[in-house]
Amino acid sequence: MQTHPTGFSLPSTCPVGVFRYIQENANGPCAATPHCDDMNVLRWLPWRYFLRRATTRHGFLDPFAFMARLRQFSQPSEVQEPMELLRAGAAFHARGLINTKVIQNNLDWIWPYWIARQFDPRDISFIPRAFSFSHINLTHRNWTAVGLPGETALSLVDPRGLVTPFHDGWSIDHWFVADDGRRTLPSYSEEAVQQLLMGDAHEVRTDVPGEVATLCLRTHIEREDGRPVLRTHIDVHTQAEGWLVVAVRPSNPEGVRFVDTIGRNGTVLTVNENHRLLLDREPERVVMSDYHRGDVGKALSNPSRHDTEQTCPAGLASAAAAYRLGPGGKLSTGYRVPLDADKSTDRQSIAVTDWAAFNRRRTRLDIPDTRMREVFESSQHTLELLSTPEIVPGPYTYRRFWFRDACLMANAFLGNNDAANVRRTLATFVGRQKLDGYFHSQEGEWDSNGQVLWLVDRYERLTGERIENPDTKSLKNAADWIGKKRRAGKDSKHPGLFPAGFSAEHLGPNDYYYWDDFWGIAGLHSAAAIFERRGERELADALRKEAAAFEQDLTKSLESLPDERTHGGMPASPHRRMDSGAIGSMVVDYPLELTFLPQARITQTAEWLWEHCFIHDGFFQDMIHSGINIYLSLALAQTFLRRGDARHRRIVKAVARLASPTGKWPEAVHPRTLGGCMGDGEHGWAAAEWCEMMRALFVLETHEGLSIGAGLFPEWFEAGESLAYGPTLTPYGSVSVRFAPDGDDWLVSVSGQWRDEPPRLRLEAPGFDALDLPADGTSVKLQRSMHAVR
């Protein structure tokens, strides 16, 4: 649950936080010191006095009085803000400040789609900018990554076909400019049709109709001599005489991105000296411009302009390669961009395959709802692209590592019958573990150890294999850290719980979040199961006792809260009333399935969230996201499904509607524009939960075995088409499920590669009588139920 940098605040003592930032980055990334006051060198300096005097003398607020006030809204914590988020936030808002300086003063430029919408006062996406510190994309954070399985190189395509070849780099746009001044500009077009072509490919196609020309853009990444190359093919049909333009743009889906130099040599445009844009054919004209002369779109009107190089001290150089067409003209052309120059990631020794090979091994979903099926396949593609060299939650804004996202996304890989990616991911975790056993991706978050132990246990249960890396020493240290951490605060307000921390980030200010505690308990249970399988029963018993003690402390905390605050449910922390942050506490039910709490408390929490926090059948997260969160919506759908509550179907339908035309979701969706308002425009955790949701419709793991078909939609059986899912890994082996029409009846079969004795297979499909199914793949005729389907 990443906090997008738009929600970051300053360090607890601003200037010293800056000092820490400089110190840490001078020596490379390192663990942040818990408190600036602990720096011995600073204890002896009267820096507080001098800083307070300097600021107040110039009319500024006293920074220490201000920060002291600010701290009153959170619980005391050893880490006020994770340094990792401060670094990301500083970079993000630095970009926003540049946007502030550039965009609103140059609205005659041709900007990306989100700017065209968000800066237009006639558009529903318009946001007034009056006192905004920085101008950032808050309405259309949507893009689609293109890439290849096993390759680190990823490029982006925005909703109107703007191509960003390199991570956080410049972009390429495509226009038609008629001689009479009319233009087809995709980012300003009211209509466009975009789709992701999949199967044995992964190509984004964008069709843009226009009064003077129609454009068809197809973008993918292919290999040339074993190296990744971005390829865009352009088809244009014109209704007027003019120019097809392939334009180098100093911008991308986040805003301004500097282009300092552009050079031309025949069909090659060189950008910033090391990126090459290779045109398929020689353009009739190439014109360039810089910031002071204005956008290159204006320079096209001068027929005498032919440029070969451009330098811009402001970093806003632009270029246009132009091809002449007459009325009724057609042209097929394109360009390539070698991606070897992308330094954001290194090529790894990972098996490089292609989409055809991926397609042969992926889990299949067959349902009558074409849209849901396409979104499932698109989500599988997202997970594959975000797994190299390690699992990250996004191709752009979130292209960095979090244990939280990696573990929950890895769980979906297991559901998709892909154990290899999970095994490779787990092997990288030890390098992020500290000597005290803490798995560290962001300081001040206490859920990671539980997540790693849970994933290791889940991997071993679903594959029947034993993980060697992380090894037993690493796993024991991780479990020991949980016990020590929850006892670390002798004077804690909540003994036995984890200390106050930043936790899952979007739950609110630093607090004693139950989210962390539930993960800690699950991690201890998982560790006990791991060591039980290794024959270390004494250690396993000790871990189970620690988990039971943790459960008692958490239960005591919940029971001490007044009913008027909890409404019978679970708030985010002991200090909070029921609010949207309570969604974090629902992790006890999904995916952890912990059973030590009364079920009524879980049910009441779900009911409160449904009544107060759902918009358009999707969960609206007030904290930071301020949008409809996809993965949290689907998590609550899992809770409803496991309780036989048909509201899971409403949530699933809503989430499918909120997917982009290419089947992607941002981290949060704007409730009015329906574009992204938070996080990465293609969010990996959201894709993972969609895959897990489709799995749960067909296969649910229960304490008795496997429940088959409990989540299926009744209307799918009325369509008369086969329903199928599989193979998927389960604790008993790999399983595939198939429902097939047989005249007016239905047949069901479950086939499995069972490792031991087959489990109980219980049919619970809506509209049919429940019955036990054979485990040998034999088809069984279903009996229509006399009870109405909810």
Side-chain angles (χ1 to χ4, degrees), residues 489-745:
K490 295 181 179 178
D491 301 323
S492 172
K493 298 178 181 178
H494 305 282
L497 302 187
F498 278 138
F502 207 51
S503 188
E505 304 169 13
H506 65 214
L507 300 181
N510 287 352
D511 212 329
Y512 296 84
Y513 286 113
Y514 291 132
W515 162 277
D516 293 329
D517 300 316
F518 287 130
W519 275 111
I521 292 168
L524 291 170
H525 281 298
S526 295
I530 291 167
F531 287 105
E532 184 79 34
R533 285 191 289 269
R534 286 157 174 75
E536 299 189 38
R537 290 187 176 86
E538 185 175 344
L539 176 56
D541 288 341
L543 290 167
R544 276 190 284 267
K545 289 180 180 178
E546 179 69 18
F550 204 162
E551 290 173 353
Q552 291 175 2
D553 289 334
L554 195 153
T555 301
K556 182 179 179 181
S557 174
L558 281 170
E559 290 177 347
S560 70
L561 303 179
D563 289 340
E564 59 267 23
R565 185 188 300 174
T566 67
H567 299 276
M570 302 175 291
S573 87
H575 297 275
R576 293 273 285 279
R577 297 178 297 277
M578 291 296 288
D579 54 34
S580 62
I583 190 71
S585 299
M586 288 300 296
V587 73
V588 67
D589 185 66
Y590 175 83
L592 299 182
E593 299 185 63
L594 297 172
T595 58
F596 69 93
L597 289 179
Q599 288 299 300
R601 192 174 285 279
I602 296 172
T603 301
Q604 283 299 105
T605 307
E607 290 295 338
W608 192 95
L609 291 168
W610 175 264
E611 182 178 347
H612 295 88
C613 303
F614 269 69
I615 295 178
H616 309 314
D617 288 341
F619 174 76
F620 186 89
Q621 174 57 299
D622 290 300
M623 316 295 175
I624 299 175
H625 287 188
S626 56
I628 300 171
N629 181 285
I630 299 304
Y631 53 80
L632 297 177
S633 297
L634 291 171
L636 203 61
Q638 292 271 8
T639 289
F640 285 139
L641 170 56
R642 281 160 170 73
R643 283 157 178 74
D645 190 321
R647 281 177 288 185
H648 80 275
R649 296 197 289 265
R650 290 176 59 178
I651 297 174
V652 169
K653 290 178 180 178
V655 167
R657 289 194 302 268
L658 291 172
S660 74
T662 58
K664 313 299 181 185
W665 296 278
E667 185 168 22
V669 177
H670 193 298
R672 299 191 67 193
T673 71
L674 302 184
C677 63
M678 164 71 183
D680 208 300
E682 181 176 348
H683 200 268
W685 187 353
E689 290 303 337
W690 181 259
C691 290
E692 283 296 281
M693 192 74 237
M694 294 300 101
R695 177 181 187 266
L697 300 183
F698 283 84
V699 180
L700 273 178
E701 299 168 28
T702 69
H703 296 296
E704 294 80 24
L706 298 177
S707 171
I708 304 300
L712 297 176
F713 289 29
E715 57 265 33
W716 291 350
F717 291 100
E718 304 303 321
E721 301 176 23
S722 295
L723 314 175
Y725 178 85
T728 183
L729 298 176
T730 75
Y732 313 99
S734 179
V735 175
S736 295
V737 178
R738 182 174 180 81
F739 293 82
D742 182 30
D744 292 333
D745 297 318

Side-chain angles (χ1 to χ4, degrees), residues 403-412 454 515 519 591 685 688-689:
F403 276 112
R404 182 181 309 113
D405 298 78
C407 290
L408 288 161
M409 290 170 65
N411 186 48
W454 173 80
W515 162 277
W519 275 111
W685 187 353
E689 290 303 337

Side-chain angles (χ1 to χ4, degrees), residues 95 156 164 166-170 252 254 256-258 395-396:
R95 162 77 62 79
L156 301 181
T164 305
F166 300 99
H167 179 70
D168 196 23
W170 51 274
N252 63 27
E254 292 281 25
V256 173
R257 192 65 178 105
F258 296 134
Y396 184 15

Side-chain angles (χ1 to χ4, degrees), residues 148-153 223 226 345-354 361 384-391 420-421 424-425 428:
L148 289 166
E151 283 285 2
T152 58
R223 289 190 183 89
T345 54
D346 297 324
R347 290 176 61 88
Q348 304 287 316
S349 56
I350 296 171
V352 176
T353 61
D354 55 30
R361 63 178 169 82
E384 182 67 19
L385 289 178
L386 298 182
S387 65
T388 305
E390 59 186 356
I391 295 178
N421 259 322
R424 177 171 56 80
T425 294
T428 68

Side-chain angles (χ1 to χ4, degrees), residues 717-718 745-746 763-771 781-790:
F717 291 100
E718 304 303 321
D745 297 318
W746 280 87
L763 174 78
E764 296 180 305
F768 299 95
D769 288 337
L771 73 153
K781 182 179 292 188
L782 305 186
Q783 299 296 321
R784 296 281 182 179
S785 174
M786 299 299 293
H787 302 288
V789 178
R790 289 184 299 167

